[in-house]
Amino acid sequence: MSDLITSPVLVGRDELLALADRRLHQAASGHGHLLLVSGEAGSGKTRLLGSISRRAELAQFTVLSAAAFPGDADASGGVLLDLAGDLRRSVAVGMQAAGGSIAGRLRDPLSAAGDRHRQRRLLVQDVADSLSGLDPGGRLLILLEDLHWADPLSLDVLRHIAGRLAARPTLLVAAYRSDELYPGTPIREWRSRLLSQRLAEEVRVPRLSAAQTATLVSAVLGRAAPAQLVTAIHARSDGIPLHVEELLAAGDILEPSRLTFPDTLADAVLARAQALDGEARDIGAAAAVIGRSFDLDLLTAVSQADPAAVDRSLRLLRSLYFVQAGADGLTFDFRHALIRDALYDDVPLPRRTALHERVALAAVLRGDRAAFISAHFEQAKLSEKAYQYALLGAQETSRISAHREALQLYRRAERSLSPGTAVAEQAHLMAAIGAEAAALDQNADAADAYAKAHRLWLQAGEAVEAASVVPPLVAVRHLLGDPLEQRVRLLQEALAGLDGAPDAMRVRARVLSGLAAAYMLDRRLDEAVEYGQQSTALSVAAGDEAAALDTAATQGSVLLFRGQAAGWSLLERTVDTCVASLQEAEAARAYRMAGSCASVLVEYDKAERWLTRGIDYAGAVELWNHRSYMAAHLAHVQWACGDWDSAQRIAESALADGRGGITTRITAQYVLGYLAMGRGDLSMATALLTEALEIGESMNELQRVSPPLWGLAETVLLADNPTAAIDLCDRGFAASDRVADAAYLFPFVVTGTRARLAVDDIGGAAQWLSRVREPLQRRNIPGTLPALAHARGLLQLANGEVEAAGESLLEARVAWDERRRFWEGSWAALDAARCAAAGRRHFEASALADTVRARAVKVGCVSLVSAAEQLRASRPAAQAWHPLTAREWAVAQLVATGLTNRQIAAELFLSPKTVGTHVEHVLAKLGARRRAEIAAWATRIHA
């Protein structure tokens, strides 16, 4: 066995060190950076960071360091507290003060006013401000290790800091295991976001090649390594430096003819541990049970050994490279987590259990964090104590919206429940689990926990408490696709259970608010209004501002879909009230409601204003789900208004962001489907829209189903399959008719009419228009009504009523353009061109087709370009209108119909001034003095 453990030189990392030197140089000149270092366990990340630290010190950098440890994910701010501790050890008074300030702020996370979300956001911002504002009097290097164990709060703070480094003389180097980036872990999402936003760069610490392994082995041995030894070591270690060193230390390498090595790294560590005396092995076992990091006082208390014996054992453990001293001289770390794991697994279970109990009891006396204490009580199989401290830790983290940590601790409390725990207490726990799971979009788990809480409350005879969990249960069941009938039944049963119950006003208000929201989501507007009014009255009486605001946002949306403009002012008042009262989550929801309503109701000026403001607000307060959803709707608005490049970019970004949930995905996906449809990629459009429809159908909601359904109808119509389009339009009508909807029905009006006319079913088209007219006129939503004029014009044209068709299509074109609805407006212009051609106004038709083509080319709408070119190709070649140009001839024909310059401008998408110029040219070329002479000439030519 070799007496040497670690290599005196860093092998195979020259390129990484060179990169670090460049980043240090840039930081020294005031251009900071975040460098992510990933690699497998044992690949040498810590050694690399140590080398970077030494180079930085030579370059006059102040160096700070911190690390995450196993178990940190159960509590908030572990890395930050470790970093604060390093700051307090600084010789600079300002740095010491900053460390104390950060630690104090983490101990008092609820000092800010407002809802829980705001309190957590300001905590993150305050700590990030403190760390970003560190002034060591020069350059600064911050080294962070093992971030794969880091908690979300610490990662959030680091994400904020990353965006501020570019203008500071600070290099932040963060290391983590590449083999711990599992889906759903905080570090995975954190890393992806930083890299995608180009706020960091990542380097990978690779395994050693055979040649590099030879160099490392030689460095450890202090002599050239035999080839046979290198080959055996490289094959067994896979080129992982820690494995190389441990195998060398534990293996029999004195006789090359019979080289032997332990089978695993753990076996190698335990083989080396045989060199420890019994006392040192016991001390090492106690340290391993405490964790990756430990301090002298805690180790002494847990081992129950004499302090002098603890000191002697630690010296031996350090000399054999099992542990190393921390920066403060009072704490110690295992040289690697894998070494700690090997020693821990070797502790017999009964002794391990006893040691965990000692750790927990000592930690209680020291006032350590509840999450740490509960973990050791659980390992000690002391369920009652584990439950007590897990619950305490969960409540602490929940208060600052640290949902992931809270859920883990609540789950530990659930595992530790004793059979005799009171039913009501079990119900409280399950309700808390439901709330935290719902906040993390773990909807199936949330629904299960809420349902258990509901059953337990009923079992305990607590009707009010049972009813209180029904609204959040219904909310997650909605996201899981439960139909309205099931959700309403749950809420109605909860209401019935409150009859005669004392002090139930607040809960009753929230159940009624849940009913209003459920009916609103299903577009059952009358019921939503009724329940919303009842909820508002009770919320105000009970002084429940949060419930009143939530209901107000719901009611504003309902009023708008009923065609009542008062909904806009209600939503605006709700937003203002929420912002003023620091109810950030409710304010973001109100913005979301206003913006998405405007997007659907063809109020695009309002939509752009509300969505832009809402996106900015949600981003500022870091409510990413709401922000992504509003971004998806903004993409819809940009598509509708003909800004297709922006729509593509925003929809793809919302889809890739991953923080918007299922509703964002549906919206962004059907917007991308619309874009593919317009650009002529009908197969891509079909795929995108079909997938969006399937997801929407899982939610069983009109607003999720109708938009992709209409896109598919329009797509198959473009593909010359009008029969399929008719079927899809009928499905769209049935979905809207079920709830007397008009907002989601209007796009089907023109598509269904056009599809029926394509199969020469004029009677069917007339019947279709009669069916869809009634709900649109009843709701009387302004943005939906142009569809009726458009469809009427198509039907009149099919019946040979050319003049009437022209009037209807002109009405539709003007209305669509006023509403900025590019798709229908452009098709209405082409329909008007066909109408002009049917009236033998061929050059008016040509001019309209040219205008549409120009608009379509600018947007990139292949479907419209093709249709416009087809229409232009059918125009006659006669030029009896010589000496006028084609545009002048179009103007002359419209003059002959008696239109004014302004009306002609609207027809031809020109300015009145341009039309006036054309009229002057016509008069000059014809030698005429009055418009009546132009009219007479044009009539003769046309005849």
Side-chain angles (χ1 to χ4, degrees), residues 605-638:
D605 291 341
K606 285 185 175 70
E608 286 180 333
R609 182 170 69 253
W610 281 105
L611 291 170
T612 301
R613 286 170 54 189
I615 288 167
D616 289 343
Y617 180 84
V621 301
E622 300 180 16
L623 283 161
W624 305 115
N625 183 301
H626 290 302
R627 186 186 185 282
S628 294
Y629 182 77
M630 286 187 278
H633 265 284
L634 182 59
H636 173 255
V637 173
Q638 302 291 25

Side-chain angles (χ1 to χ4, degrees), residues 221-537:
L221 296 178
R223 63 183 187 276
Q228 186 179 4
L229 174 63
V230 170
T231 299
I233 288 284
H234 184 69
R236 185 62 60 87
S237 69
D238 290 324
I240 297 176
L242 176 67
H243 294 202
V244 172
E245 293 172 344
E246 289 293 332
L247 288 170
L248 279 172
D252 185 356
I253 61 173
L254 299 179
E255 178 53 57
S257 63
R258 54 180 182 85
L259 291 171
T260 59
F261 299 101
D263 291 332
T264 66
L265 175 68
D267 291 338
V269 171
L270 295 178
R272 290 201 304 111
Q274 297 300 321
L276 299 171
D277 58 36
E279 183 179 69
R281 292 198 71 171
D282 287 344
I283 299 296
V289 169
I290 293 172
R292 169 78 187 275
S293 181
F294 54 91
D295 63 62
L296 186 60
D297 290 341
L298 183 57
L299 180 60
T300 302
V302 172
S303 66
Q304 298 181 347
D306 180 80
V310 173
D311 181 65
R312 283 194 303 273
S313 296
L314 280 175
R315 290 177 185 274
L316 181 57
L317 289 165
R318 290 178 62 187
S319 69
L320 293 176
Y321 298 93
F322 286 102
V323 301
Q324 56 195 17
D328 58 1
L330 300 175
T331 59
F332 297 85
D333 302 327
F334 280 94
R335 184 166 70 90
H336 198 280
L338 296 178
I339 294 175
R340 179 261 175 182
D341 292 345
L343 295 177
Y344 177 85
D345 291 339
D346 192 51
V347 180
L349 184 59
R351 176 164 170 73
R352 190 191 308 170
T353 302
L355 287 171
H356 276 298
E357 180 179 4
R358 291 184 197 172
V359 174
L361 293 172
V364 169
L365 293 175
R366 287 156 47 105
D368 286 339
R369 303 183 82 175
F372 175 78
I373 295 170
S374 69
H376 284 283
F377 272 132
E378 183 180 38
Q379 295 286 0
K381 304 188 186 309
L382 296 173
S383 298
E384 184 176 344
K385 290 291 187 182
Y387 172 81
Q388 174 187 346
Y389 283 96
L391 205 59
L392 179 61
Q395 291 165 348
E396 290 173 352
T397 54
S398 178
R399 283 197 291 270
I400 55 169
S401 297
H403 302 297
R404 191 180 301 274
E405 302 96 306
L407 180 59
Q408 290 171 340
L409 287 164
Y410 278 129
R411 288 295 191 193
R412 179 178 296 157
E414 182 187 16
R415 292 194 300 270
S416 304
L417 272 172
S418 64
T421 304
V423 173
E425 190 171 348
Q426 294 180 50
H428 270 299
L429 175 60
M430 297 314 301
I433 289 174
E436 301 304 330
L440 293 168
D441 287 329
Q442 297 177 14
N443 296 312
D445 290 344
D448 182 61
Y450 280 135
K452 288 179 181 177
H454 184 249
R455 288 195 298 270
L456 289 166
W457 282 126
L458 291 177
Q459 182 181 335
E462 297 284 354
V464 176
E465 295 287 359
S468 71
V469 299
V470 173
L473 169 60
V474 165
V476 293
R477 292 306 319 173
H478 152 248
L479 294 173
L480 293 170
D482 275 12
L484 175 69
E485 292 74 17
Q486 291 183 19
R487 291 179 278 132
V488 166
R489 186 179 68 251
L490 285 171
L491 291 162
Q492 294 285 13
E493 288 172 353
L495 274 183
L498 292 173
D499 290 342
D503 303 320
M505 184 183 296
R506 182 183 295 264
V507 173
R508 184 180 293 274
R510 296 202 169 203
V511 174
L512 288 166
S513 181
L515 276 165
Y519 279 116
M520 180 273 294
L521 289 169
D522 208 55
R523 297 301 182 251
R524 297 272 290 273
L525 305 180
D526 295 340
E527 294 95 329
V529 167
E530 177 186 348
Y531 287 115
Q533 289 172 344
Q534 294 178 41
S535 174
T536 298

Side-chain angles (χ1 to χ4, degrees), residues 552-553 555-560 564-573 594:
Q555 290 295 87
S557 173
V558 170
L559 291 177
L560 293 174
Q564 296 174 250
W568 296 119
S569 57
L570 178 55
L571 283 169
E572 187 162 4
R573 289 197 305 273

Side-chain angles (χ1 to χ4, degrees), residues 81 135 247 292 433 475 503 522 529 584 595 615-616 626 661 759 779 781 814 848 864 879 910:
L81 287 169
D135 184 10
L247 288 170
R292 169 78 187 275
I433 289 174
D503 303 320
D522 208 55
V529 167
E584 292 181 347
I615 288 167
D616 289 343
H626 290 302
V759 295
R779 291 296 185 199
I781 299 170
V814 171
L848 283 168
L864 278 167
Q879 297 189 12
L910 301 173

Side-chain angles (χ1 to χ4, degrees), residues 678-698:
R679 288 170 173 161
D681 191 347
L682 301 187
S683 61
M684 176 60 73
T686 300
L688 288 166
L689 293 164
T690 299
E691 184 175 351
L693 177 61
E694 290 172 351
I695 301 170
E697 287 176 331
S698 71

Side-chain angles (χ1 to χ4, degrees), residues 100-119:
S101 174
I102 291 169
R105 186 68 179 89
L106 291 168
R107 285 193 296 268
D108 184 23
L110 305 180
S111 59
D115 61 10
R116 289 186 179 183
H117 169 78
R118 184 174 189 272
Q119 291 169 344

Side-chain angles (χ1 to χ4, degrees), residues 160-179:
H160 277 68
I161 294 172
R164 311 180 192 184
L165 292 174
R168 297 196 58 80
T170 302
L171 176 63
L172 176 58
V173 182
Y176 45 81
R177 292 183 188 174
S178 56
D179 46 351

Side-chain angles (χ1 to χ4, degrees), residues 795-828:
L795 189 58
Q796 289 166 334
L797 183 58
N799 279 319
E801 304 169 32
V802 176
E803 185 175 349
E807 293 174 358
S808 296
L809 291 170
L810 175 61
E811 177 187 343
R813 287 168 51 207
V814 171
W816 287 133
D817 288 343
E818 286 178 350
R819 292 276 161 187
R820 300 170 61 198
R821 182 81 176 182
F822 168 81
W823 183 256
E824 284 87 348
S826 298
W827 283 108

